[in-house]
């Protein structure tokens, strides 16, 4: 149920077309809630049908012109209701963790390369988040909305830092197993 709320959030920040929303998802919201172009357009239709958003009137309707959407008062009320709602954490489902568990049964062949690949991916993501923080959140940006956005970004930075620490531990563990086994674990 979070995609409609992600779209309402993005539209309250700035009325946008479906294409603009897709681009904004790729650059910000998509770091923690992804959606395809088709999913966004489908959800825009549902939100409009539910009376939570509306297409802004265009000055001169032109065939193929992008519709720009804005949030209606009922949409703002729904988003505010959702923000205050209780929700339990979702269980983690990560294929890499399952692979490591499976390696306990069939052996860790090739696992080291995959762990190193993930380590590099998480290093890259952490660097991207840190660059966003340096560019978009200078210390003097202290408005409530900036502080809350920075808090979300810090969550992403903390998660990437966790993965780096954990992957380094996993690689050390794998190397230790390989040393005991004569090299077959890495």
């Amino acid at each position: 149920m979070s995609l409609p709320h992600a779209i309402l959030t993005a539209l309250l920040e700035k009325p946008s077309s479906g294409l603009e929303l897709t681009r904004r998802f790729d650059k910000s919201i998509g770091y923690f809630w992804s959606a395809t172009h088709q999913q966004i357009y489908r959800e825009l239709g549902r939100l409009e049908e539910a009376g939570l958003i509306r297409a802004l009137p265009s000055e001169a309707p032109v065939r193929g012109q992008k519709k720009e959407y804005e949030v209606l008062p009922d949409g703002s009320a729904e988003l505010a209701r959702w923000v205050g709602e209780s929700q339990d954490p979702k269980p983690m489902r990560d294929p890499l963790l399952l692979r490591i568990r499976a390696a306990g049964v069939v052996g860790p062949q090739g696992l080291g390369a995959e762990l190193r690949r993930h380590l590099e991916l998480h290093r890259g993501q952490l660097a991207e988040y840190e660059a966003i923080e340096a560019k978009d959140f200078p210390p003097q940006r202290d408005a409530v909305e900036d502080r809350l956005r920075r808090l979300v970004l810090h969550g992403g930075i903390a998660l990437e830092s966790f993965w780096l620490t954990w992957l380094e531990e996993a690689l050390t563990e794998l190397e230790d197993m390989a040393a005991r086994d004569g090299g077959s674990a890495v």
Side-chain angles (χ1 to χ4, degrees), residues 13 83 137-153:
E13 290 173 341
V83 166
F137 296 103
Q140 65 273 20
R141 284 189 70 178
D142 202 30
V144 170
E145 57 271 11
D146 291 324
R147 292 176 68 183
L148 292 171
R149 288 181 186 130
R150 184 183 300 118
L151 189 59
V152 172
L153 183 59

Side-chain angles (χ1 to χ4, degrees), residues 61-80:
V62 178
R63 185 174 165 84
Q65 182 179 8
K66 303 184 289 190
K67 279 193 208 177
E68 195 167 271
Y69 295 90
E70 71 175 353
V71 177
L72 295 171
D74 284 352
S76 294
E78 167 55 21
L79 189 58

Side-chain angles (χ1 to χ4, degrees), residues 25-87:
F25 264 70
D26 288 344
K27 293 180 181 174
S28 62
I29 292 174
Y31 286 120
F32 55 92
W33 195 268
S34 62
T36 65
H37 188 73
Q38 293 83 9
Q39 289 171 316
I40 289 171
Y41 271 96
R42 211 172 18 249
E43 200 57 52
L44 284 169
R46 288 182 189 133
L47 290 167
E48 189 172 25
E49 193 174 291
L52 302 178
I53 65 170
R54 73 175 178 123
L56 292 169
S58 60
E59 293 169 14
V62 178
R63 185 174 165 84
Q65 182 179 8
K66 303 184 289 190
K67 279 193 208 177
E68 195 167 271
Y69 295 90
E70 71 175 353
V71 177
L72 295 171
D74 284 352
S76 294
E78 167 55 21
L79 189 58
R81 181 206 61 76
W82 180 76
V83 166
E85 184 178 84
S86 175
Q87 184 174 5

